[in-house]
Amino acid sequence: MGLGSRGVIGDKWSSRILWFTAIGSAIGFYLVAVERQTQNREKMMAESMMNAGSSADGGE
């Protein structure tokens, strides 16, 4: 069995599948990064609110 010019999937389709996979992975990584950034922002806001509340309670 030698290597022919066409496999089970043609070169054109394998290239398309590769691009779709790469683009899908990039979109997935972007969405994960946005979600983590949102969670970090919410966590920082909650901590700053707690710190502001504790400093106000401690000052009086």
Side-chain angles (χ1 to χ4, degrees):
M1 291 181 79
L3 293 175
S5 62
R6 292 184 63 181
V8 177
I9 300 175
D11 290 336
K12 186 166 118 177
W13 282 105
S14 64
S15 151
R16 287 181 183 175
I17 291 169
L18 180 65
W19 275 108
F20 283 135
T21 304
I23 291 170
S25 296
I27 291 171
F29 284 133
Y30 173 76
L31 292 175
V32 168
V34 168
E35 180 66 24
R36 286 185 181 173
Q37 189 176 19
T38 303
Q39 289 175 353
N40 287 340
R41 186 176 298 129
E42 289 173 354
K43 183 179 175 184
M44 286 175 58
M45 287 180 66
E47 287 177 355
S48 67
M49 290 248 188
M50 287 176 58
N51 289 337
S54 65
S55 66
D57 292 341
E60 291 183 21

